[in-house]
Amino acid sequence: MQDSGSSPEIGQIVLITKGRDQGQLGIIVELIDDRFVKIADGDRRKVDRMKKKNMNHLELLDYIADEVKNSFVETGRVTNGKLRYAITNFLEYHSDLLKEGE
C-alpha cells in the first residue's frame, strides 16, 4: 500500500471531495496525466461513462483494490461488477468511513 500523498494508481479507491458526487467513493480506472484521472464506481458511474476528475478534487485513500488492478493487468479492462465488489469490500473493512459520511 502507498500513503495518500503519493501519485495515483489504477485500482486505487478515492473519496470525491468536490462536485456533484461529493462524499462518494470511486475507483481510478485510467490515468490521463499528472493532474487528471478517470474514475468509476460500477453503480452510478459505469465504466463506459467514466468521469474525468481533477486530482485536487479527490482524496486518495490508502487502499488499492487488487481485483481491479489485476483485471487491468490481465485483460486491459474491468467490469462494473468488479468495481462494485471492490468498493463493498473496502467499506466492510473500513466501516468507520461509512459512519463518518452519515
Side-chain angles (χ1 to χ4, degrees):
M1 299 280 176
Q2 295 181 335
D3 60 10
S4 59
S6 63
S7 61
E9 281 191 42
I10 289 180
Q12 188 167 11
I13 295 188
V14 296
L15 179 64
I16 302 168
T17 58
K18 305 268 186 190
R20 176 183 293 200
D21 299 328
Q22 182 176 357
Q24 297 178 3
L25 294 174
I27 299 179
I28 296 176
V29 292
E30 186 179 326
L31 303 172
I32 298 174
D33 56 22
D34 60 342
R35 190 170 164 200
F36 291 99
V37 295
K38 287 191 178 180
I39 62 169
D41 66 4
D43 186 23
R44 289 177 224 92
R45 181 66 63 183
K46 306 261 189 216
V47 174
D48 59 344
R49 295 185 52 131
M50 298 179 280
K51 177 70 175 171
K52 180 179 174 183
K53 291 295 277 185
N54 187 328
M55 288 300 300
N56 294 332
H57 299 172
L58 300 174
E59 179 183 332
L60 297 176
L61 301 179
D62 189 23
Y63 185 86
I64 297 173
D66 292 329
E67 57 272 0
V68 174
K69 189 173 185 176
N70 292 338
S71 180
F72 272 107
V73 169
E74 292 170 5
T75 64
R77 61 187 191 94
V78 68
T79 63
N80 291 316
K82 281 191 182 177
L83 293 176
R84 288 190 302 268
Y85 174 78
I87 290 176
T88 303
N89 202 18
F90 171 78
L91 288 174
E92 285 179 10
Y93 290 109
H94 298 87
S95 60
D96 55 330
L97 285 177
L98 182 62
K99 292 176 185 168
E100 225 175 75
E102 292 180 341

